[in-house]
Amino acid sequence: MSENAARLNRFKNKGKDANELRRRRVEVNVELRKAKKDDQIFKRRNVAALPEEASSPLQEKNQNCQAARQWTVEEILIGVNSTNFESQLQATQAARKLLSRERHPPIDQIISAGLIPKFVAFLGVTDCPPIQFEASWALTNIASGTSDQTAAVVEGGAIPAFICLVTSPHQHISEQAVWALGNIAGDGSALRDEVIKYGAVAPLISLLEVPDLSALTPGYLRNITWTLSNLCRNKNPSPPMTAVQQILPSLIRLLHYHDKEVLADACWAVSYLTDGSNDRIEVVVQAGLVPCLVKMLGSEELSVVTPSLRAIGNIVTDEQTQAVLDAGALAVFPPLLRHHRANIQKEAAWTLSNITAGRDTQIQEIIAAGLVPPMIDVLARGDYKTQKEAVWAVTNFTSGGTVEQVVYLVQANVLEPLLNLLASKDSKIILVILDAITNIFMAGDKIGESDKLCLMIEECGGLDKIEALQAHENEMVYKASLNLIEKYFSGEEEEVTSVAPDVTSDGYAFQISENQTSFNF
């Protein structure tokens, strides 16, 4: 085992192994979903006023140009059960208008009245497109509600009926069916898999099989993309791999389109697909999606940068990190670490922490890309959540990096901002920082510079902070700080025999003279 591998294992044996990184990824993703839950909506209700205004989920109108008098649910029930076809159409339209109300649509009353099976039956009336459309719209809005309300639509047999309408010759009917399936799939893994099981993927992607996507109206294309993203969403279980492989070529095509809303939802789809096991990430990488994602990282649209950065962050937690680096992702990171939105800074630092947990050659790529100064800047001046991610990035760097890489980090003035964060109330982060300091001292020992390191730590007030931790309530913090004090700051002069390390594969050697080394802190 190489020296670096042994050091990395020592780091990992402290409880921060690959599983820890994955746990942190899940933790971060849950937190980000809570913080940014409006970035992509799970279900959408069509509240446009007229059939001609069948809008995309991303273009909802807050208009309510309803007729002077709204029908009651009882009147709708009578009309729907009438033998007169015109009455059925009028009643279905009245139901759609009630369900399109901006405030308090009577979804439960419509369900309780037993209207869902009737509306589902109307979906199959191919010789009357208006009633197909009105029933589709009404059911779409019921399916936009709670899980129970969505389930009621599914129990009424709507999924296969909507799948048949996806390829309707009438685009407004097709769009409404696509939208309804998106609402159903967005409810969670179980209903998503029902939609897939009934065969929705093939007809959906067939809609994109046109020579030029611009031939589709913007709303229609956005709607299809959003529904495909919902088919990629949710875990436990993740979507069936066969469906994922069917959808991936369409996502690549959508990621080359010029509409920011299409790009955003396509990026969200990829972020969901990469939030899983290594084999699932590998499928995305093999499909050639990484260069597309890296290009999206440079977008000026926050709605596109957020999911593409999430996807890249997911990919670099596994063996596919090199694919991301080879695609030139690091060149885009300086502006991301300095982004005006704290959440982007945080995700960029989190992604960086997963890259620094890799090989020393990958750490060298981070240095070559000029990312150490902005990483330290975030450590010093970012908001606290971003600083925590930067702490992980630095500690992983000190654990997996070569001695000369750690020296470079110290020369870049990492010590003061790192030590300042020992004032944190988070015991876990304090322990991670103490790990980093220990790793830096290990590098210092190898080149006989530990005394100089002690002096640097004292000069920036770090020794006082480490000493104060000996009174910390957390026993692990107390022990870790005591170990550092006893080993490096006890004041007892010990005779240390410095041994020059062997030449590394990169040709570096530490030539240590009596008074000077080749690496200066």
Side-chain angles (χ1 to χ4, degrees):
M1 183 183 285
S2 72
E3 181 182 83
N4 283 333
R7 288 179 65 223
L8 190 55
N9 276 349
R10 278 197 291 276
F11 176 80
K12 287 181 174 179
N13 289 339
K14 291 179 181 175
K16 286 167 283 293
D17 58 9
N19 290 328
E20 169 74 357
L21 279 174
R22 185 171 291 283
R23 184 197 62 74
R24 284 198 340 105
R25 182 179 83 192
V26 170
E27 206 172 74
V28 169
N29 271 352
V30 168
E31 186 180 320
L32 291 167
R33 273 198 292 272
K34 287 178 182 171
K36 305 289 287 177
K37 61 180 180 291
D38 293 329
D39 275 348
Q40 212 216 17
I41 303 165
F42 287 34
K43 299 178 184 176
R44 293 166 172 150
R45 195 158 62 93
N46 190 348
V47 294
L50 301 168
E52 303 86 75
E53 293 177 38
S55 63
S56 161
L58 290 164
Q59 294 177 304
E60 294 183 357
K61 313 271 197 306
N62 290 325
Q63 300 170 345
N64 265 319
C65 313
Q66 305 264 339
R69 189 190 71 80
Q70 291 184 338
W71 291 37
T72 64
V73 174
E74 291 73 21
E75 287 170 335
I76 290 169
L77 188 61
I78 291 167
V80 162
N81 286 320
S82 161
T83 53
N84 180 291
F85 198 76
E86 188 59 33
S87 297
Q88 290 179 333
L89 175 57
Q90 288 177 356
T92 305
Q93 187 180 73
R96 181 267 295 172
K97 289 181 178 180
L98 276 184
L99 291 164
S100 301
R101 239 171 31 194
E102 189 177 350
R103 288 173 165 271
H104 313 300
I107 296 178
D108 286 330
Q109 295 94 304
I110 295 282
I111 294 172
S112 299
L115 284 163
I116 287 179
K118 284 286 186 182
F119 293 156
V120 171
F122 292 157
L123 297 181
V125 184
T126 52
D127 56 351
C128 183
I131 203 165
Q132 286 183 304
F133 178 72
E134 294 292 355
S136 294
W137 190 340
L139 288 167
T140 297
N141 284 2
I142 297 171
S144 74
T146 65
S147 285
D148 286 345
Q149 291 165 346
T150 307
V153 172
V154 173
E155 286 158 14
I159 293 177
F162 276 128
I163 290 172
C164 288
L165 289 183
V166 166
T167 49
S168 165
H170 308 284
Q171 184 182 299
H172 65 295
I173 294 174
S174 169
E175 179 172 1
Q176 202 62 59
V178 169
W179 188 338
L181 290 169
N183 276 345
I184 294 167
D187 184 74
S189 300
L191 292 189
R192 175 206 66 206
D193 287 350
E194 281 291 298
V195 172
I196 291 170
K197 186 181 78 177
Y198 275 105
V201 175
L204 280 168
I205 59 180
S206 75
L207 300 177
L208 301 174
E209 291 169 358
V210 290
D212 182 1
L213 291 176
S214 299
L216 305 175
T217 64
Y220 191 29
L221 184 58
R222 291 168 188 165
N223 216 332
I224 295 164
T225 309
W226 174 72
T227 293
L228 287 175
S229 78
N230 270 358
L231 290 175
C232 298
R233 187 198 288 271
N234 291 309
K235 300 197 294 185
N236 304 316
S238 296
M241 194 68 93
T242 49
V244 170
Q245 288 169 326
Q246 268 183 290
I247 292 169
L248 280 172
S250 296
L251 291 180
I252 293 173
R253 191 164 182 217
L254 292 166
L255 284 169
H256 286 92
Y257 196 62
H258 53 74
D259 182 90
K260 69 179 181 182
E261 293 170 13
V262 167
L263 290 174
D265 278 338
C267 286
W268 278 116
V270 182
S271 79
Y272 303 142
L273 294 178
T274 52
D275 184 17
S277 58
N278 192 49
D279 59 326
R280 288 182 173 272
I281 295 172
E282 180 65 17
V283 167
V284 170
V285 172
Q286 289 300 321
L289 278 157
V290 172
C292 302
L293 292 171
V294 170
K295 184 182 176 186
M296 295 302 108
L297 283 180
S299 169
E300 293 180 3
E301 297 292 340
L302 183 67
S303 61
V304 174
V305 173
T306 300
S308 57
L309 182 53
R310 184 86 52 89
I312 290 289
N314 287 341
I315 293 169
V316 299
T317 55
D318 267 309
E319 297 162 14
Q320 293 83 1
T321 300
Q322 196 58 47
V324 171
L325 302 184
D326 291 345
L330 294 181
V332 194
F333 268 75
L336 295 176
L337 287 167
R338 297 187 176 106
H339 201 276
H340 65 279
R341 291 291 290 263
N343 192 60
I344 296 294
Q345 286 187 19
K346 176 188 172 183
E347 289 215 35
W350 165 63
T351 301
L352 216 53
S353 76
N354 287 328
I355 299 172
T356 59
R359 301 188 295 273
D360 57 21
T361 53
Q362 293 170 338
I363 290 173
Q364 192 59 40
E365 290 193 53
I366 284 175
I367 294 171
L371 287 174
V372 170
M375 180 174 78
I376 293 173
D377 198 48
V378 161
L379 189 70
R381 284 179 278 278
D383 74 351
Y384 180 60
K385 288 181 178 180
T386 306
Q387 286 177 313
K388 280 168 64 175
E389 296 304 327
V391 164
W392 278 97
V394 166
T395 301
N396 289 343
F397 186 116
T398 64
S399 176
T402 63
V403 172
E404 55 269 34
Q405 287 169 341
V406 176
V407 168
Y408 172 78
L409 189 65
V410 174
Q411 288 171 337
N413 300 315
V414 76
L415 287 173
E416 186 170 359
L418 189 63
L419 290 159
N420 284 343
L421 287 168
L422 286 175
S424 166
K425 292 180 170 58
D426 185 338
S427 297
K428 178 77 174 281
I429 284 299
I430 292 172
L431 285 167
V432 175
I433 294 168
L434 293 174
D435 274 344
I437 301 300
T438 302
N439 292 336
I440 291 169
F441 267 116
M442 285 166 62
D445 286 342
K446 288 173 184 169
I447 56 172
E449 293 277 24
S450 291
D451 288 347
K452 191 175 287 185
L453 204 49
C454 288
L455 189 61
M456 292 172 74
I457 288 172
E458 284 186 58
E459 284 176 350
C460 68
L463 178 55
D464 292 340
K465 292 182 176 71
I466 296 170
E467 284 179 333
L469 294 176
Q470 292 177 98
H472 199 278
E473 59 186 12
N474 183 297
E475 188 181 357
M476 290 173 72
V477 170
Y478 154 72
K479 285 181 176 176
S481 58
L482 182 63
N483 286 342
L484 270 174
I485 298 288
E486 287 182 344
K487 186 165 184 182
Y488 297 106
F489 298 97
S490 63
E492 295 176 10
E493 294 296 326
E494 293 182 9
E495 188 176 336
V496 178
T497 305
S498 295
V499 179
D502 295 333
V503 176
T504 69
S505 58
D506 292 322
Y508 294 109
F510 304 110
Q511 300 299 330
I512 304 177
S513 65
E514 286 182 14
N515 302 315
Q516 188 60 51
T517 73
S518 60
F519 286 92
N520 271 315
F521 284 117

